Every structure is written in structure tokens, then in C-alpha cells.
Amino acid sequence: MADKHEMKKPKKQSPTVFGYPVSIFFIVINEFCERFSYYGMRAVLVLYFRYFLRWDENLATTIYHTFVALCYLTPILGAIVADSWLGKFKTIVYLSIVYAVGQVVMAVSAINDITDANKDGTPDNMTVHVALSMVGLLLIALGTGGIKPCVAAFGGDQFQDDQEKERGTFFSIFYLSINAGSLLSTVITPILRAKECGIHTQQSCYPLAFGVPAALMVVALIVFIVGSGMYKKTAPQGNIMVKVCQCIGFAIMNRFDHRSSQYPKREHWMDWADDKYDKLLIAQVKMVLKVLFLYIPLPMFWALFDQQGSRWTLQATNMDGDFGALIIQPDQMQTVNPILILLLVPIMDSVVYPLISKCNLNFSPLKRMTVGMLFAAIAFVAAALVQIQIDKTLPKFPSSTEGQVKFINMLNRPLEIKAGMNTIELKAFMGNDDYLTYNEPFILTLGPNYSYPVDLLDGARTTMVITEEKAKALSYWMTIVFMCAEFSFSRIFNGYNSVLNVTVGNLEDSDLGFNQMSKYFLLPQGDAQFKIRKETGEECLYSQKLGFGSSYTLLIPSTFTFGDKCGEKISQVVDIKPNTIHMAWQIPQYFLMTAGEVVFSVTGLEFSYSQAPSNMKSVLQAGWLLTVAVGNIIVLIIAEAAQLPEKWAEYILFASLLVLVCIIFSIMAYFYVYTDPSKIEAQFNQNNPEEKRRKSLEMARKDSFEYNKEKRPSSDSSSDEEEQRQTKI
């Protein structure tokens, strides 16, 4: 807050367009680009961990939520730096540079060719990519979190005192730019990721998916700096959060120093701070602590909410995203949330809440928040039910003490195979439908004259191809496939007595010799075209329809001939069946979670703002953001501690914990007494004339709780909107 000397200075007049400072347009564009950059990068992040860095789902989830937690811890640092040392403008510029560098580093980390010396499509030094990724994410967390509390407030600073209406419109446009950037990025970056790119080999284009957000962040920085000459910049004026923490710390230490029974007790433990601090400040801190106490159970909601970008996205990778003419990528399902927000917010405000009010039901803010938490818990129950259906369709991979084997008959006649106690009958040029699981060595019998001992290959999936060469010799191939929804895998076995060259789209395999198996081709869902070419120049085109997450072995038999119907001679063995549970089944859980967000988050911000002292709105805002960070830390703790083998069980565990927390919160809410901070401050100052004079500048404005109650919509509603929209910002 400015002092009296500063209030007397003439205010800088910024150029205006239709009554609005020109400078705010630079700020709105900056926010759109920055939110596009952040949400676009985050939309594909967990899949980058899973399929590029090749981490398992638990590690990918852990690092993802660690990153999100950092993004919501650093706003406290950014607010302190801006208010105490650099000011909002310099803080935004400096941390945006850090932010942009982090995005560029992330894009570079996703280029597999920088360490792919042998040009086989696999990075030779994954440590380099992991190190770059971690550095990039750390810089991004520092940048996006640091500027989070500054940009909206800096935009509000651009308006004059007589532009309250324009300021309110600015915050509406500002919030719209946030949602627009979020929505567009979660649609576009998954499409970019699904494209194929690369210098030596064509793979999922993570460099482009990270590169476009990096470019948008650079644009955001440039646009913000271009408007520098038009901004109204206020000097750092001290951070109220630091003062509150100092007051609380002094009260604790002073109480500890006077713990002896000879000292008289005080009504509240914060009263021990009155030896050094104003009584009005102490009273305001008491009000803040009262609300912060209610925040204790809230992180559990965010623990469930932020798993939309981790567990739910990974869940979608095992589902079918074919919507007819539209193919949905698993990370694009996250767009359901912002779309539903745009629909549900006006419905809640215009229909649901007025209807409840007409029914004379006491649907207080804390009751709304309780209902929002229950919605989130039900959403996870719905996710568990979907996961149970998915698990029924997933292949059963071997455990560490088991092995699995599939047999392929390349003989031009039926074959009866005995593997231990199991008998399998195979037609010519066909394989068995399911892998045979075994946990001890067995004898493989192909007839009266051929028996082979098969050793146990722990945790391995093996394909045994039975050929005519050298009296039914067996050839072994390992099956290693990373399942991913929008991709399929196909490989080719050449049983034709000639060297063949196989081309799939723009992916060309090396020459495939007789009785050789190709590597797996990573192919997008849909129709794949295989071009099979003989050394003499003869060609055969073969088309195969690929399902989501499927894996196939194509067999070119010894009876294969080139010609018009050559493709009919090629047979197909299914290694992994396509996903069959449709992604549309995730929509109910997204709907429930978004309904919970609208009821919980928006109401929580409004409640916090109404219960906070006039000069400590930012303290509660910092506390609110801290609950988001703690929620993501809870995910890390539970995911690592529980180690549940079934994903559906983990969903039920999170839902159960939230219901338990919800009960605790409802009890706390029952005993909570709503207060009017403006009346308490006014009454306190009336009883303390000296402090009233000291705080006269602070009390010049009425608190928004009373002001909005009497004059909504009012000129101060813009400041309400600024605080209430910080979660998305």
C-alpha cells in the first residue's frame, strides 16, 4: 500500500483505447501465450515420461506431481520478491526469461537424435535427456509459479481510480484469455505430439509438442517487454505475508519465553505478540489463522483433481479413441475439463444456486465445498469402475518368475504342438491366439521325431517360429512392446525363399532375409500400407487395419507370390489385441470432477475472500495455492506408500480418503462461525483511536464482503474477481 507521500504524486496517464489503457492489451496477450505454453507442455508431460524416457507409470506420476507441486509453491517466492525487492514488472520479466529458457531446454531434451549415434531411433544416453528434462522442469516451475501472483495484479495497477468499471471488464477478459490458452493448448499439443518427426528416424514428435509452447513463451516475453513504456510501475512496498509470518513467529517465541505459570494466561496465543505489534494487526492475523485452519483438509481434493493430467491420462492410453471421423489422443481428453467449466459455471450461478435458494435451503459456502469434495470422490469411483473394465481387456504379461511363449507355424500344413501338459493345434502359417504362460521348463514336442527342451525365461515374452529349415528348426524372438493408445506395432516374418525389402509409409526397413523377423514398426492407428519388394523389382502392396494399442506379427509364407492378390497370401498373428473400451467412458468421471471443481474451487475462493481482512487477501491467496501444492505431494506419498498392484484399488483408496477428509471438514465447518472482517476492524479501530489514525489509509475502502452485499455489481467487484480467479491464473 502506498504511503501518504506517494499518494500525492501525480498519476501517470497511460494512452487509452475505448477508455482502456493500451498497456492492458499487452498483458492479456502475454497471459494467453503463457497459459498456452504451460498447459500445452503439461498436457503431454506424463506421456513424455512414459514413452520417451521409458519410465513406469508410478515414476511418471511421481515426477509429474512433484513438478505441479513446485509450480504452486513458487508463487509465494514470487510474491515476496515482487513486493519486497524487484517490483511486479521486473519480477515478471526476469522470471519469464527463466521460464522461456526452461521451455526451450524441455524441447531440446525431447530430441532423441542428439544422443542417437547409431541412428537406430533409440537414444544412446538417456541420462542426458533425463538431466535436461529435470533442469527444464525446474526452471519452468520457478518461472510460471513466480509470475503467477504478479501478472493479474500488475494489470489491475494500470487503471486509474475512476476506471473501476473498466478494471472489472479487464479481469473478465484476462480470465477468458487464461481459459482460451488452456483449452487451445490441450487440443493442439497432443496433435503435434502424435505427428512423426526426426532426423534419422520418424517418431512421436515430442520436440514439436514442447517446442511450440516454448515459442509461445518467448512471444509472451517479447510482447510484455514491448509494452514497457506504457506501463504504470509501482515500487516495491513490502510484503504483508512476511509481516504476518513475523508476527506469528514473535507470538510463538514470546509465549515460549513466558511459559512459566507465574505469567498470566492470555485469551488467545496470538495476544503474546502485542508486546511488539499493533493490536489491529494481531486481530487481522487471528482472522486469517481461523480460515487457514479450515484449509488443512483441502489438499486432499487437489490430490484427486490433479490426477486428471497423470493417472487419468495414462488410463486413456489403454482405451479406444476412435470417435468416427475424429481420432482423440489420450492427452486430449484433458480438454473435457475446461470445456465443462465454461458450461457449468453459468449453469451453477444462473440455475442451480438460485433454485436452491428458492427452496429455502441453507446451502452455505462451506456446505458447497463439502459437496464439491464428494463429487470428486464419486469421480474416482467412476474412474475405478472404468479401470476394472479396462483390466479385463489388457494382456496378461508374465511376472518376474514366469515366462510366456507364442508359437507360429510356418509349415504348409497343420501342426500339433505339445508344450508340457498343453496341446495346441495350429493351421498352416498361423499362431496361437494367446500366449502360453509357464513357470518351469518344459518339453516341446512337434511330433514323434522332434522334441526340444524349453528353459524358463523369467519375465519374458517369447515367440517361437517353427520352420521347415533344418528339419523344423525353432527360431526365438522376444516381444517387447510399449502399449500406447494412438499407436500400434507391427513386425514381419519373412518365410519366403528370397530377400525382401519392406517399406511402411515413410519408414523403410533394411532388407529382410529368409526366415528373418523384422523389428517392430511403430504405426499410428488406422490403415497402414506395407510395400513388399523383391530383389528383381516385383512389388506387393498390403493394407492392414490397426487398432488402438495393438501389436501384430505379419507372416509372409513360403507359398507367397507377387501379383494382383498377393496381399491375400499374407497372414496375421495378434500379439496384443486392440483396446476395446472407448475413451467416451471417461466423460462421466471428468463431468463429476469438473462439477466438484466448480462447486469447491470457486466457492472456496469467494469464501476465503469474504472472511479475510482487507489488507490480507493475498495471504489467504498464498494459503490457497499452498493447498494445491500439498495436494500433489499427497499423491506422491500415497502412490509410493500404498504400492497397490491394481490401479482401480488405488482409485478407490483416494476416493475413500477424500470421503474421510470430507467428513472431518464438514465437522469443522459445522462449528465455524462466519465473520465480517470489515465490521470487526471498524469496531476495533473505534475502540482504539490511535490505531484508527494509523490505519486510516487502509480503512478508506470498505471491505468487499459488505460492499458487494449492498451494491453488487460495484466498482470494487473487479478486485473480487482478481482474487477469485487466481487458481486458474
Side-chain angles (χ1 to χ4, degrees), residues 189-214:
T189 53
I191 295 175
L192 299 177
R193 177 193 58 78
K195 292 184 177 296
E196 296 178 351
C197 64
I199 300 173
H200 306 307
T201 58
Q202 299 294 304
Q203 298 188 24
S204 296
C205 204
Y206 288 102
L208 184 60
F210 289 140
V212 170

PDB file of all heavy atoms in Angstrom, residues 189-214:
ATOM      1  N   THR A 189      -1.369 -29.321 -28.672  1.00  0.00           N
ATOM      2  CA  THR A 189      -0.091 -30.009 -28.410  1.00  0.00           C
ATOM      3  C   THR A 189      -0.188 -31.534 -28.492  1.00  0.00           C
ATOM      4  O   THR A 189       0.766 -32.164 -28.958  1.00  0.00           O
ATOM      5  CB  THR A 189       0.500 -29.581 -27.056  1.00  0.00           C
ATOM      6  OG1 THR A 189      -0.477 -29.760 -26.026  1.00  0.00           O
ATOM      7  CG2 THR A 189       0.930 -28.129 -27.095  1.00  0.00           C
ATOM      8  N   PRO A 190      -1.289 -32.182 -28.076  1.00  0.00           N
ATOM      9  CA  PRO A 190      -1.364 -33.626 -28.311  1.00  0.00           C
ATOM     10  C   PRO A 190      -1.372 -33.992 -29.798  1.00  0.00           C
ATOM     11  O   PRO A 190      -0.836 -35.042 -30.181  1.00  0.00           O
ATOM     12  CB  PRO A 190      -2.685 -34.021 -27.635  1.00  0.00           C
ATOM     13  CG  PRO A 190      -2.881 -33.010 -26.570  1.00  0.00           C
ATOM     14  CD  PRO A 190      -2.369 -31.729 -27.174  1.00  0.00           C
ATOM     15  N   ILE A 191      -1.961 -33.131 -30.629  1.00  0.00           N
ATOM     16  CA  ILE A 191      -1.933 -33.378 -32.082  1.00  0.00           C
ATOM     17  C   ILE A 191      -0.503 -33.279 -32.601  1.00  0.00           C
ATOM     18  O   ILE A 191      -0.056 -34.105 -33.412  1.00  0.00           O
ATOM     19  CB  ILE A 191      -2.847 -32.375 -32.816  1.00  0.00           C
ATOM     20  CG1 ILE A 191      -4.310 -32.597 -32.412  1.00  0.00           C
ATOM     21  CG2 ILE A 191      -2.688 -32.504 -34.328  1.00  0.00           C
ATOM     22  CD1 ILE A 191      -5.267 -31.580 -32.997  1.00  0.00           C
ATOM     23  N   LEU A 192       0.229 -32.282 -32.123  1.00  0.00           N
ATOM     24  CA  LEU A 192       1.626 -32.132 -32.531  1.00  0.00           C
ATOM     25  C   LEU A 192       2.456 -33.320 -32.059  1.00  0.00           C
ATOM     26  O   LEU A 192       3.324 -33.819 -32.791  1.00  0.00           O
ATOM     27  CB  LEU A 192       2.199 -30.835 -31.950  1.00  0.00           C
ATOM     28  CG  LEU A 192       1.520 -29.530 -32.388  1.00  0.00           C
ATOM     29  CD1 LEU A 192       2.148 -28.341 -31.674  1.00  0.00           C
ATOM     30  CD2 LEU A 192       1.609 -29.350 -33.900  1.00  0.00           C
ATOM     31  N   ARG A 193       2.198 -33.790 -30.845  1.00  0.00           N
ATOM     32  CA  ARG A 193       2.934 -34.938 -30.325  1.00  0.00           C
ATOM     33  C   ARG A 193       2.680 -36.197 -31.147  1.00  0.00           C
ATOM     34  O   ARG A 193       3.581 -37.015 -31.366  1.00  0.00           O
ATOM     35  CB  ARG A 193       2.526 -35.198 -28.869  1.00  0.00           C
ATOM     36  CG  ARG A 193       3.189 -36.422 -28.256  1.00  0.00           C
ATOM     37  CD  ARG A 193       2.524 -36.809 -26.957  1.00  0.00           C
ATOM     38  NE  ARG A 193       1.117 -37.086 -27.122  1.00  0.00           N
ATOM     39  CZ  ARG A 193       0.629 -38.213 -27.616  1.00  0.00           C
ATOM     40  NH1 ARG A 193       1.439 -39.173 -28.011  1.00  0.00           N
ATOM     41  NH2 ARG A 193      -0.665 -38.397 -27.734  1.00  0.00           N
ATOM     42  N   ALA A 194       1.457 -36.353 -31.628  1.00  0.00           N
ATOM     43  CA  ALA A 194       1.102 -37.557 -32.386  1.00  0.00           C
ATOM     44  C   ALA A 194       1.717 -37.582 -33.777  1.00  0.00           C
ATOM     45  O   ALA A 194       1.759 -38.637 -34.414  1.00  0.00           O
ATOM     46  CB  ALA A 194      -0.417 -37.678 -32.482  1.00  0.00           C
ATOM     47  N   LYS A 195       2.197 -36.439 -34.261  1.00  0.00           N
ATOM     48  CA  LYS A 195       2.857 -36.414 -35.559  1.00  0.00           C
ATOM     49  C   LYS A 195       4.213 -37.098 -35.459  1.00  0.00           C
ATOM     50  O   LYS A 195       4.766 -37.264 -34.373  1.00  0.00           O
ATOM     51  CB  LYS A 195       3.014 -34.975 -36.054  1.00  0.00           C
ATOM     52  CG  LYS A 195       1.697 -34.299 -36.402  1.00  0.00           C
ATOM     53  CD  LYS A 195       1.925 -32.919 -36.970  1.00  0.00           C
ATOM     54  CE  LYS A 195       0.615 -32.268 -37.385  1.00  0.00           C
ATOM     55  NZ  LYS A 195      -0.044 -33.010 -38.477  1.00  0.00           N
ATOM     56  N   GLU A 196       4.755 -37.479 -36.605  1.00  0.00           N
ATOM     57  CA  GLU A 196       6.050 -38.148 -36.635  1.00  0.00           C
ATOM     58  C   GLU A 196       7.110 -37.183 -37.155  1.00  0.00           C
ATOM     59  O   GLU A 196       6.888 -36.462 -38.133  1.00  0.00           O
ATOM     60  CB  GLU A 196       5.996 -39.392 -37.517  1.00  0.00           C
ATOM     61  CG  GLU A 196       5.045 -40.458 -36.991  1.00  0.00           C
ATOM     62  CD  GLU A 196       4.978 -41.662 -37.909  1.00  0.00           C
ATOM     63  OE1 GLU A 196       5.530 -41.585 -39.022  1.00  0.00           O
ATOM     64  OE2 GLU A 196       4.373 -42.675 -37.519  1.00  0.00           O
ATOM     65  N   CYS A 197       8.249 -37.152 -36.480  1.00  0.00           N
ATOM     66  CA  CYS A 197       9.333 -36.288 -36.908  1.00  0.00           C
ATOM     67  C   CYS A 197      10.645 -36.891 -36.429  1.00  0.00           C
ATOM     68  O   CYS A 197      10.664 -37.800 -35.600  1.00  0.00           O
ATOM     69  CB  CYS A 197       9.161 -34.862 -36.374  1.00  0.00           C
ATOM     70  SG  CYS A 197       9.231 -34.736 -34.565  1.00  0.00           S
ATOM     71  N   GLY A 198      11.744 -36.384 -36.934  1.00  0.00           N
ATOM     72  CA  GLY A 198      13.053 -36.878 -36.551  1.00  0.00           C
ATOM     73  C   GLY A 198      14.044 -36.718 -37.686  1.00  0.00           C
ATOM     74  O   GLY A 198      13.659 -36.622 -38.859  1.00  0.00           O
ATOM     75  N   ILE A 199      15.317 -36.685 -37.335  1.00  0.00           N
ATOM     76  CA  ILE A 199      16.368 -36.531 -38.343  1.00  0.00           C
ATOM     77  C   ILE A 199      16.694 -37.876 -38.979  1.00  0.00           C
ATOM     78  O   ILE A 199      16.715 -38.017 -40.205  1.00  0.00           O
ATOM     79  CB  ILE A 199      17.635 -35.922 -37.702  1.00  0.00           C
ATOM     80  CG1 ILE A 199      17.313 -34.545 -37.108  1.00  0.00           C
ATOM     81  CG2 ILE A 199      18.753 -35.808 -38.742  1.00  0.00           C
ATOM     82  CD1 ILE A 199      18.460 -33.954 -36.307  1.00  0.00           C
ATOM     83  N   HIS A 200      16.927 -38.877 -38.139  1.00  0.00           N
ATOM     84  CA  HIS A 200      17.317 -40.195 -38.634  1.00  0.00           C
ATOM     85  C   HIS A 200      16.141 -41.165 -38.689  1.00  0.00           C
ATOM     86  O   HIS A 200      16.044 -41.968 -39.605  1.00  0.00           O
ATOM     87  CB  HIS A 200      18.421 -40.778 -37.752  1.00  0.00           C
ATOM     88  CG  HIS A 200      19.602 -39.878 -37.591  1.00  0.00           C
ATOM     89  ND1 HIS A 200      20.277 -39.325 -38.666  1.00  0.00           N
ATOM     90  CD2 HIS A 200      20.235 -39.409 -36.478  1.00  0.00           C
ATOM     91  CE1 HIS A 200      21.268 -38.571 -38.219  1.00  0.00           C
ATOM     92  NE2 HIS A 200      21.265 -38.604 -36.900  1.00  0.00           N
ATOM     93  N   THR A 201      15.265 -41.099 -37.686  1.00  0.00           N
ATOM     94  CA  THR A 201      14.095 -41.978 -37.642  1.00  0.00           C
ATOM     95  C   THR A 201      12.866 -41.148 -37.305  1.00  0.00           C
ATOM     96  O   THR A 201      12.967 -40.119 -36.641  1.00  0.00           O
ATOM     97  CB  THR A 201      14.268 -43.082 -36.582  1.00  0.00           C
ATOM     98  OG1 THR A 201      14.487 -42.477 -35.305  1.00  0.00           O
ATOM     99  CG2 THR A 201      15.444 -43.994 -36.931  1.00  0.00           C
ATOM    100  N   GLN A 202      11.719 -41.585 -37.774  1.00  0.00           N
ATOM    101  CA  GLN A 202      10.471 -40.884 -37.528  1.00  0.00           C
ATOM    102  C   GLN A 202       9.800 -41.456 -36.269  1.00  0.00           C
ATOM    103  O   GLN A 202       9.516 -42.645 -36.204  1.00  0.00           O
ATOM    104  CB  GLN A 202       9.537 -41.049 -38.731  1.00  0.00           C
ATOM    105  CG  GLN A 202      10.101 -40.473 -40.024  1.00  0.00           C
ATOM    106  CD  GLN A 202      10.247 -38.966 -39.964  1.00  0.00           C
ATOM    107  OE1 GLN A 202       9.288 -38.241 -39.705  1.00  0.00           O
ATOM    108  NE2 GLN A 202      11.458 -38.489 -40.209  1.00  0.00           N
ATOM    109  N   GLN A 203       9.562 -40.577 -35.282  1.00  0.00           N
ATOM    110  CA  GLN A 203       8.941 -40.995 -34.035  1.00  0.00           C
ATOM    111  C   GLN A 203       7.964 -39.921 -33.575  1.00  0.00           C
ATOM    112  O   GLN A 203       7.833 -38.874 -34.202  1.00  0.00           O
ATOM    113  CB  GLN A 203      10.006 -41.240 -32.962  1.00  0.00           C
ATOM    114  CG  GLN A 203      10.992 -42.344 -33.304  1.00  0.00           C
ATOM    115  CD  GLN A 203      11.898 -42.673 -32.136  1.00  0.00           C
ATOM    116  OE1 GLN A 203      11.560 -42.447 -30.986  1.00  0.00           O
ATOM    117  NE2 GLN A 203      13.068 -43.230 -32.439  1.00  0.00           N
ATOM    118  N   SER A 204       7.265 -40.212 -32.466  1.00  0.00           N
ATOM    119  CA  SER A 204       6.348 -39.223 -31.897  1.00  0.00           C
ATOM    120  C   SER A 204       7.080 -37.907 -31.699  1.00  0.00           C
ATOM    121  O   SER A 204       8.184 -37.876 -31.158  1.00  0.00           O
ATOM    122  CB  SER A 204       5.795 -39.721 -30.557  1.00  0.00           C
ATOM    123  OG  SER A 204       5.019 -40.871 -30.743  1.00  0.00           O
ATOM    124  N   CYS A 205       6.417 -36.810 -32.112  1.00  0.00           N
ATOM    125  CA  CYS A 205       7.129 -35.538 -32.197  1.00  0.00           C
ATOM    126  C   CYS A 205       7.030 -34.737 -30.895  1.00  0.00           C
ATOM    127  O   CYS A 205       6.433 -33.648 -30.847  1.00  0.00           O
ATOM    128  CB  CYS A 205       6.582 -34.718 -33.360  1.00  0.00           C
ATOM    129  SG  CYS A 205       7.776 -33.518 -33.990  1.00  0.00           S
ATOM    130  N   TYR A 206       7.636 -35.243 -29.842  1.00  0.00           N
ATOM    131  CA  TYR A 206       7.695 -34.505 -28.577  1.00  0.00           C
ATOM    132  C   TYR A 206       8.469 -33.186 -28.715  1.00  0.00           C
ATOM    133  O   TYR A 206       8.110 -32.197 -28.054  1.00  0.00           O
ATOM    134  CB  TYR A 206       8.305 -35.373 -27.484  1.00  0.00           C
ATOM    135  CG  TYR A 206       7.395 -36.478 -27.013  1.00  0.00           C
ATOM    136  CD1 TYR A 206       7.576 -37.789 -27.432  1.00  0.00           C
ATOM    137  CD2 TYR A 206       6.338 -36.203 -26.150  1.00  0.00           C
ATOM    138  CE1 TYR A 206       6.739 -38.810 -27.003  1.00  0.00           C
ATOM    139  CE2 TYR A 206       5.493 -37.214 -25.712  1.00  0.00           C
ATOM    140  CZ  TYR A 206       5.695 -38.512 -26.145  1.00  0.00           C
ATOM    141  OH  TYR A 206       4.862 -39.516 -25.718  1.00  0.00           O
ATOM    142  N   PRO A 207       9.542 -33.125 -29.523  1.00  0.00           N
ATOM    143  CA  PRO A 207      10.212 -31.821 -29.671  1.00  0.00           C
ATOM    144  C   PRO A 207       9.282 -30.732 -30.181  1.00  0.00           C
ATOM    145  O   PRO A 207       9.362 -29.578 -29.735  1.00  0.00           O
ATOM    146  CB  PRO A 207      11.337 -32.124 -30.677  1.00  0.00           C
ATOM    147  CG  PRO A 207      11.608 -33.574 -30.522  1.00  0.00           C
ATOM    148  CD  PRO A 207      10.271 -34.204 -30.225  1.00  0.00           C
ATOM    149  N   LEU A 208       8.380 -31.083 -31.101  1.00  0.00           N
ATOM    150  CA  LEU A 208       7.425 -30.097 -31.612  1.00  0.00           C
ATOM    151  C   LEU A 208       6.375 -29.773 -30.559  1.00  0.00           C
ATOM    152  O   LEU A 208       5.979 -28.610 -30.396  1.00  0.00           O
ATOM    153  CB  LEU A 208       6.759 -30.625 -32.882  1.00  0.00           C
ATOM    154  CG  LEU A 208       5.803 -29.672 -33.611  1.00  0.00           C
ATOM    155  CD1 LEU A 208       6.538 -28.415 -34.054  1.00  0.00           C
ATOM    156  CD2 LEU A 208       5.166 -30.372 -34.807  1.00  0.00           C
ATOM    157  N   ALA A 209       5.926 -30.795 -29.821  1.00  0.00           N
ATOM    158  CA  ALA A 209       4.915 -30.588 -28.781  1.00  0.00           C
ATOM    159  C   ALA A 209       5.434 -29.685 -27.667  1.00  0.00           C
ATOM    160  O   ALA A 209       4.671 -28.927 -27.067  1.00  0.00           O
ATOM    161  CB  ALA A 209       4.476 -31.934 -28.208  1.00  0.00           C
ATOM    162  N   PHE A 210       6.724 -29.760 -27.361  1.00  0.00           N
ATOM    163  CA  PHE A 210       7.333 -28.866 -26.378  1.00  0.00           C
ATOM    164  C   PHE A 210       7.843 -27.578 -27.031  1.00  0.00           C
ATOM    165  O   PHE A 210       7.913 -26.531 -26.379  1.00  0.00           O
ATOM    166  CB  PHE A 210       8.497 -29.555 -25.676  1.00  0.00           C
ATOM    167  CG  PHE A 210       8.082 -30.651 -24.734  1.00  0.00           C
ATOM    168  CD1 PHE A 210       8.806 -31.826 -24.653  1.00  0.00           C
ATOM    169  CD2 PHE A 210       6.976 -30.508 -23.921  1.00  0.00           C
ATOM    170  CE1 PHE A 210       8.436 -32.845 -23.779  1.00  0.00           C
ATOM    171  CE2 PHE A 210       6.584 -31.509 -23.045  1.00  0.00           C
ATOM    172  CZ  PHE A 210       7.324 -32.687 -22.979  1.00  0.00           C
ATOM    173  N   GLY A 211       8.218 -27.658 -28.294  1.00  0.00           N
ATOM    174  CA  GLY A 211       8.793 -26.504 -28.977  1.00  0.00           C
ATOM    175  C   GLY A 211       7.793 -25.395 -29.211  1.00  0.00           C
ATOM    176  O   GLY A 211       8.121 -24.199 -29.061  1.00  0.00           O
ATOM    177  N   VAL A 212       6.564 -25.741 -29.581  1.00  0.00           N
ATOM    178  CA  VAL A 212       5.539 -24.718 -29.810  1.00  0.00           C
ATOM    179  C   VAL A 212       5.214 -23.972 -28.514  1.00  0.00           C
ATOM    180  O   VAL A 212       5.168 -22.731 -28.510  1.00  0.00           O
ATOM    181  CB  VAL A 212       4.275 -25.347 -30.436  1.00  0.00           C
ATOM    182  CG1 VAL A 212       3.119 -24.344 -30.449  1.00  0.00           C
ATOM    183  CG2 VAL A 212       4.570 -25.821 -31.856  1.00  0.00           C
ATOM    184  N   PRO A 213       4.989 -24.648 -27.375  1.00  0.00           N
ATOM    185  CA  PRO A 213       4.833 -23.898 -26.120  1.00  0.00           C
ATOM    186  C   PRO A 213       6.044 -23.033 -25.778  1.00  0.00           C
ATOM    187  O   PRO A 213       5.892 -21.928 -25.242  1.00  0.00           O
ATOM    188  CB  PRO A 213       4.635 -25.004 -25.075  1.00  0.00           C
ATOM    189  CG  PRO A 213       4.021 -26.125 -25.840  1.00  0.00           C
ATOM    190  CD  PRO A 213       4.675 -26.078 -27.190  1.00  0.00           C
ATOM    191  N   ALA A 214       7.253 -23.523 -26.099  1.00  0.00           N
ATOM    192  CA  ALA A 214       8.449 -22.705 -25.854  1.00  0.00           C
ATOM    193  C   ALA A 214       8.413 -21.438 -26.691  1.00  0.00           C
ATOM    194  O   ALA A 214       8.731 -20.339 -26.210  1.00  0.00           O
ATOM    195  CB  ALA A 214       9.711 -23.517 -26.159  1.00  0.00           C
TER     196      ALA A 214
END
